[in-house]
Amino acid sequence: MLLTGIIILLFYYIWKRFADLAFKYNHNKKWIYGVLGIVVYYGGTLIGGLILGFLTVIFDFTINWENNFLMSIIGVPFGLATCYATYYFLHKKWEREVIVIDSIDDIGKITQD
């Protein structure tokens, strides 16, 4: 029960960070980016599980796969890492796309990068 509450708070935090990022850079449908953050989290935990599965086969060590609490705890770093990487990528991408206008006279002028 405690883990469920922590995961719900974690999902809220992920959703909020991605939605605030979309709001900061004026992207429409900010809630979609919040949902994207949660989907990326689950994708990261899936990738982490696959990596653990391959490592147990290759190096022949044992993990108690029936222990759901342990599997949830092991998956959190993988999910957070993929969320951070996606957030960083979107932040840098949108930061480069922002056009800074110093004055109203600069609107319509061609800028060279």
Side-chain angles (χ1 to χ4, degrees):
M1 186 69 181
L2 177 65
L3 183 62
T4 305
I6 292 171
I7 295 294
I8 289 172
L9 288 175
L10 181 66
F11 284 169
Y12 173 75
Y13 179 74
I14 292 170
W15 174 84
K16 182 88 170 114
R17 293 289 295 186
F18 275 82
D20 287 346
L21 181 68
F23 180 75
K24 179 179 177 183
Y25 292 105
N26 296 323
H27 283 269
N28 293 333
K29 298 185 180 178
K30 292 143 189 71
W31 62 272
I32 288 179
Y33 292 101
V35 172
L36 172 72
I38 294 171
V39 169
V40 165
Y41 174 84
Y42 274 122
T45 57
L46 176 69
I47 290 170
L50 291 173
I51 290 171
L52 281 177
F54 287 130
L55 289 177
T56 57
V57 170
I58 293 171
F59 295 114
D60 196 30
F61 63 88
T62 60
I63 293 178
N64 184 6
W65 295 101
E66 284 88 34
N67 189 348
N68 291 334
F69 181 76
L70 178 64
M71 291 296 109
S72 297
I73 296 299
I74 289 174
V76 169
F78 290 105
L80 289 178
T82 54
C83 279
Y84 178 76
T86 305
Y87 181 88
Y88 184 78
F89 170 75
L90 288 175
H91 177 69
K92 289 299 179 185
K93 180 180 181 293
W94 292 343
E95 192 175 48
R96 278 181 275 141
E97 294 173 355
V98 170
I99 299 171
V100 177
I101 299 172
D102 293 330
S103 71
I104 197 160
D105 296 331
D106 293 339
I107 296 176
K109 289 185 179 178
I110 299 173
T111 60
Q112 295 184 15
D113 293 333

